[in-house]
């Protein structure tokens, strides 16, 4: 068991502006005009074929080469829709939902598969006491990494160039991204960073401030040799702006800006005004920056940011309780980040029970959360195509089947990190059936312990983050900042290996669309998937990737391979 994480993880009058689904491919179909049929009949062209012929005639008659691409697109869509049996439902206002009749993996048939395989799963468990949890990750002799933040990180200057103020928006880990990038920018500009302001997000609805989630004093101390950080602006600066931070110039920065951009565009404003503000500050620093700037990111994310004491102390209790409950497996447990909340299901535009009630419920949820985004004229929603492409959130049942197939038996202690699961009574029941020792923060902590955190989604997410961080296996079922940061932090703690399962959802939906699939075959496919995740656990950061997910080699050093031992004889 490793030690607890050191993570935690408006318009202005003076604003200055510093910035200025591809369609499915059509099958190759041959067409002919007036083709004779056996028996003397004459083949009659369909409407689609006549339209295609007319479009091609116009193109070649006028030699409109530039018109060829869009016309081919229209023709291909017409042929594709007819050839593959799509049903188009018009919802009005120009919005369409397209259903495909039959492509493998396009329909949620997992409950049917589970019902048939369940007796075989249970018989498999009764026939063996082996649990893959005991040896899930292969021992690694080579490619061992250890935390190694560059000692050449910029030293905090005695003469600050001014005060850098940022507003962090989004959920817990989006805020962490903004904080860590702000530390790097402050170091680059030799600016004094003011403890970030948290924006009240309309989705997360969490009014927590920085100090409610992260340990402010430790953050300032951990960065003190590299970046100056203060809790608030000094009095003379506040007086200059009539004690109204909104009066400080709000710079509108380009996304993924380079260090050169900050030095050329932001630094002169900072020197002239003494304080600048960026609201919101999200994804405003490029991934590829010089080593000393990356070092500041590493220092902020993996060392300086740790959760505030109320979060950290309860999280520590929860981890200890998970270890105690998993004594049968040597204190090891599995954590699952389950993204099956109503807003996630609605946003995915995927369907699960195909009923009118679900459709109405999802339409209402999309309208509440995204105000007409999904009802724009011309928008086409393809639930089946989304599922085939691996874009649909995995249901609790599908996660359970995958884990059982991989070899995690029903004695495995599973922690589920999630918000409010959509139709929890219905969808969580099969997962509890497969893993009766399942835990959540609501079962692991008492109501009295959780009371101070209720209504604060970021604080609750911090509890989930910590329990997942210290699990033997972490399962990521959907993208997002939570798994991206957590995977990177696990690599930082566990010698470079993420010790994480990222399902191949495209493969999984194909397998779960076969009601007659054999249990032995399904197990083999899942075990192959587990081995693939083990092999991909150690990955170096590529130029366009984030060090928050891939901390090697920026934040870690590779240990020398052990010398082969020779026989003294």
């Amino acid at each position: 068991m490793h030690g607890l994480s050191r993570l935690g993880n408006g318009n202005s009058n003076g604003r200055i502006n510093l910035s200025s689904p591809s369609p499915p491919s059509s099958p190759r179909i041959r067409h002919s005009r007036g083709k004779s049929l056996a028996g003397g009949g004459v083949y009659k062209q369909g409407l689609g074929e006549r339209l295609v012929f007319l479009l091609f005639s116009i193109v070649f008659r006028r030699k409109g080469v530039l018109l060829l691409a869009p016309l081919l697109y229209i023709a291909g869509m017409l042929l594709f829709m007819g050839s593959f049996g799509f049903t188009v439902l018009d919802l009005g206002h120009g919005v369409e939902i397209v259903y495909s009749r039959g492509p493998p993996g396009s329909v949620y048939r997992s409950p049917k598969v589970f019902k048939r395989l369940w007796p075989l799963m249970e018989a498999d468990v009764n026939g063996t006491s082996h649990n893959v949890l005991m040896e899930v990750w292969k021992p690694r002799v080579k490619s061992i990494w250890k935390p190694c933040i560059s000692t050449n990180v910029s030293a905090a200057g005695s003469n600050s160039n001014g005060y850098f103020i940022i507003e962090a928006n989004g959920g817990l880990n989006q805020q962490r991204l903004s904080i860590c990038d702000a530390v790097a920018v402050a170091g680059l500009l030799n600016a004094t960073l003011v403890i970030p302001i948290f924006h009240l997000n309309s989705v997360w609805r969490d009014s927590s401030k920085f100090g409610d989630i992260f340990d402010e004093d430790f953050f300032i101390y951990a960065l003190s040799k590299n970046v100056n950080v203060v809790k608030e602006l000094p009095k003379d600066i506040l007086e200059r702006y009539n004690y109204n931070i909104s009066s400080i110039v709000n710079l509108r920065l380009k996304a993924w800006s380079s260090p050169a951009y900050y030095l050329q565009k932001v630094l002169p404003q900072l020197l002239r005004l003494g304080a600048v503000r960026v609201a919101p500050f999200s994804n405003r620093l490029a991934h590829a920056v010089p080593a000393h700037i990356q070092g500041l990111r590493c220092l902020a994310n993996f060392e300086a940011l740790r959760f505030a004491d109320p979060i950290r102390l309860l999280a520590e209790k929860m981890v200890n309780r998970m270890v105690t409950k998993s004594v049968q497996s040597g204190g090891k447990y599995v954590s699952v980040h389950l993204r099956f909340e109503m807003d996630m299901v609605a946003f995915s535009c995927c369907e699960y029970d195909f009923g009118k009630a679900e459709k109405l419920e999802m339409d209402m949820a999309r309208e509440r959360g995204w105000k007409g985004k999904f009802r724009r004229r011309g928008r086409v929603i393809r639930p089946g195509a989304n599922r085939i492409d691996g874009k649909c959130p995995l249901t609790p049942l599908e996660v359970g089947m995958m884990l059982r197939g991989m070899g995690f038996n029903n004695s495995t202690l599973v922690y589920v990190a999630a918000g409010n699961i959509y139709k929890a009574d219905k969808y969580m029941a099969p997962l509890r059936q497969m893993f009766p020792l399942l835990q959540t923060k609501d079962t692991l902590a008492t109501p009295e312990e959780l009371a101070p955190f209720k209504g604060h989604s970021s604080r609750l997410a911090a509890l989930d983050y910590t329990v997942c961080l210290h699990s033997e296996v972490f399962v990521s079922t959907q993208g997002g900042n939570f798994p991206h940061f957590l995977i990177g932090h696990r690599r930082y703690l566990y010698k470079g290996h993420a010790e994480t399962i990222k399902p191949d959802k495209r493969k999984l939906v194909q397998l779960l669309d076969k009601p007659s699939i054999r249990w032995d075959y399904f197990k083999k496919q899942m075990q192959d998937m587990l081995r693939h995740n083990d092999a991909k656990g150690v990955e170096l950061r590529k130029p366009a990737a984030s060090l928050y997910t891939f901390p090697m080699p920026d934040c870690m050093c590779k240990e020398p391979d052990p010398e082969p031992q020779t026989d003294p004889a």
Side-chain angles (χ1 to χ4, degrees), residues 81 87-99 349 351 359 363 366-367 371-383:
M81 299 290 277
T87 301
V88 181
L89 300 181
D90 187 358
L91 300 183
H93 306 286
V95 179
E96 297 175 344
I97 297 185
V98 181
Y99 295 94
C349 295
E351 296 188 341
K359 179 188 171 303
D363 285 344
R366 284 190 282 267
E367 192 61 25
K371 304 294 182 185
K373 175 177 179 177
F374 292 89
R375 299 188 63 82
R376 292 174 185 166
R377 183 172 298 277
R379 177 148 192 153
V380 178
I381 299 173
R382 296 186 176 88

Side-chain angles (χ1 to χ4, degrees), residues 381-415:
I381 299 173
R382 296 186 176 88
N386 288 347
R387 182 168 173 80
I388 292 171
D389 202 27
K391 295 179 180 178
C392 291
L394 292 181
T395 63
L397 180 149
E398 292 170 324
V399 173
M401 290 188 69
M402 176 188 71
L403 290 175
R404 288 293 290 266
M406 288 176 173
F408 297 93
N409 64 26
N410 61 4
S411 68
T412 304
L413 190 68
V414 175
Y415 179 84

Side-chain angles (χ1 to χ4, degrees), residues 11 59 114 158 186 189 214 230 267 279 291 320 338 361 507 513:
N11 294 338
V59 170
F114 171 67
S158 56
L189 302 177
F214 301 110
V230 295
L267 182 57
N320 289 337
L338 189 59
E361 196 171 23
K507 178 178 181 179
D513 195 22

Side-chain angles (χ1 to χ4, degrees), residues 136 163 316 334 338 345 425 508 513 522 537 542:
V136 60
Y163 292 89
E316 184 177 15
V334 174
L338 189 59
V345 175
D425 291 342
L508 192 57
D513 195 22
F522 182 78
K542 297 176 182 177

Side-chain angles (χ1 to χ4, degrees), residues 329-500:
S329 55
K332 299 177 179 180
Y333 61 92
V334 174
S335 63
V336 178
H337 184 224
L338 189 59
R339 294 308 314 271
F340 203 71
E341 303 90 349
M342 178 181 284
D343 62 336
M344 178 57 67
V345 175
F347 187 82
S348 72
C349 295
C350 298
E351 296 188 341
Y352 294 91
D353 69 11
F354 303 97
K356 290 183 178 179
E358 181 191 68
K359 179 188 171 303
L360 179 60
E361 196 171 23
M362 292 297 104
D363 285 344
M364 293 174 62
R366 284 190 282 267
E367 192 61 25
R368 280 196 309 270
W370 295 278
K371 304 294 182 185
K373 175 177 179 177
F374 292 89
R375 299 188 63 82
R376 292 174 185 166
R377 183 172 298 277
R379 177 148 192 153
V380 178
I381 299 173
R382 296 186 176 88
N386 288 347
R387 182 168 173 80
I388 292 171
D389 202 27
K391 295 179 180 178
C392 291
L394 292 181
T395 63
L397 180 149
E398 292 170 324
V399 173
M401 290 188 69
M402 176 188 71
L403 290 175
R404 288 293 290 266
M406 288 176 173
F408 297 93
N409 64 26
N410 61 4
S411 68
T412 304
L413 190 68
V414 175
Y415 179 84
V416 172
N420 295 320
I421 298 297
Y422 175 57
K423 294 185 177 178
D425 291 342
K426 172 184 176 180
Y427 286 107
M428 286 295 291
L431 182 59
R432 294 184 186 278
Q433 183 178 342
M434 287 181 273
F435 293 99
L437 301 181
L438 184 144
Q439 300 287 326
T440 67
K441 52 182 167 285
D442 292 306
T443 62
L444 205 56
T446 66
E448 293 75 20
E449 288 173 325
L450 289 175
F453 303 91
K454 292 295 184 181
H456 299 285
S457 56
S458 291
R459 301 185 208 181
L460 292 170
L463 296 174
D464 279 340
Y465 185 99
T466 306
V467 179
C468 290
L469 181 64
H470 296 287
S471 63
E472 179 70 11
V473 178
F474 171 62
V475 182
S476 170
T477 63
Q478 193 79 359
N481 284 316
F482 185 102
H484 290 167
F485 272 87
L486 190 67
I487 289 169
H489 201 183
R490 288 174 67 85
R491 285 191 168 113
Y492 188 78
L493 290 182
Y494 304 139
K495 300 180 180 180
H497 197 292
E499 300 189 355
T500 294

